[in-house]
Amino acid sequence: MKIDKLNLDGKKSSIEVLDKIFSAKINHKLISSVLYKTNANYKGRHAKTKQQNEVSGPTSKIYAQKGTGNARHASKKAPIFVGGGVAHGPKGQSSYKKRKLNKSEKKQSIASLISEKIKNKRLLIFSDFSNEIKKTKEMNLILKKFEILNCLIILDKSSKEKVEKSLRNIPNVKVTDINHFSAFDIIKYKKIVFTETSIKELEKRFA
């Protein structure tokens, strides 16, 4: 299929893209599953409590077994005492299950989301940035001109080097490359922007 490509002057041309990625069947059930797994794996699972054998202190018996009238106790580190170990508490990140997300699921979910963005006219393709843009003010004017103030910008390496610094301090804009974005990023931002070269890189990776 062919979709529009813009340059910074607003002039339109067209670019040929793969139907497999840009006109894919939109599978909402798969997208929901991928987002659930992605979010579950992003969560910081660092809660940890000390078990009885990890609490510092003496292990000697606190009083005699018989003759005191009290219950039988051993170490003060037992879970029954304040300051003792915690029975059955969380043991850190390694104890939590990681949700497996295979390559096929990733590719299909991203193709579905990109196709949906095109359908809703929320995907733009720009020509590669040939000149360096240093000033945030200048880049902000470009974003306003094309109404992409809330967007995920996926750039090729050359374009990223030329414009990344000018985009760094603009709110609600994320700059990344083909290797470092997820389905969650596409959902989070209203619009998605590619350069011509980053589109070709995407096709090589996800086709």
Side-chain angles (χ1 to χ4, degrees), residues 103-205:
K103 288 181 181 179
S104 177
E105 281 181 311
K106 285 181 184 177
K107 288 179 180 180
Q108 288 178 34
S109 65
I110 286 172
S112 287
L113 287 167
I114 288 174
S115 299
E116 189 171 40
K117 290 286 186 187
I118 288 178
K119 185 180 177 183
N120 296 326
K121 296 181 179 179
R122 291 182 176 177
L123 185 144
L124 283 82
I125 300 174
F126 283 104
S127 300
D128 295 350
F129 289 90
S130 54
N131 298 320
E132 187 176 6
I133 300 174
K134 294 181 178 180
K135 292 188 176 182
T136 302
K137 185 178 180 180
E138 186 181 347
M139 181 53 76
N140 208 22
L141 288 172
I142 293 169
L143 297 183
K144 285 180 179 178
K145 178 182 176 181
F146 293 100
E147 298 180 348
I148 46 174
L149 296 175
N150 184 321
C151 63
L152 172 69
I153 302 177
I154 301 170
L155 300 172
D156 57 279
K157 185 178 178 182
S158 176
S159 296
K160 192 177 178 184
E161 288 173 355
K162 290 182 174 72
V163 302
E164 185 179 20
K165 287 182 181 178
S166 63
L167 285 161
R168 195 176 289 167
N169 293 324
I170 299 175
N172 301 318
V173 173
K174 179 176 179 177
V175 184
T176 187
D177 54 46
I178 292 300
N179 299 316
H180 298 98
F181 78 96
S182 66
F184 181 78
D185 291 323
I186 300 174
I187 285 282
K188 182 179 177 182
Y189 294 94
K190 187 176 180 179
K191 292 187 177 181
I192 180 169
V193 176
F194 287 95
T195 57
E196 186 175 1
T197 301
S198 68
I199 283 286
K200 299 303 176 187
E201 290 173 354
L202 179 78
E203 290 177 341
K204 284 180 184 176
R205 184 170 180 187

Side-chain angles (χ1 to χ4, degrees), residues 49-63 72-88:
T49 53
K50 288 186 177 181
Q51 314 300 306
Q52 185 172 338
N53 64 326
E54 295 173 312
V55 177
S56 61
T59 57
S60 57
K61 195 168 175 66
I62 57 176
Y63 49 71
R72 296 170 293 182
H73 287 298
S75 168
K76 192 76 175 173
K77 298 196 293 181
I80 198 171
F81 295 114
V82 174
V86 175
H88 313 298

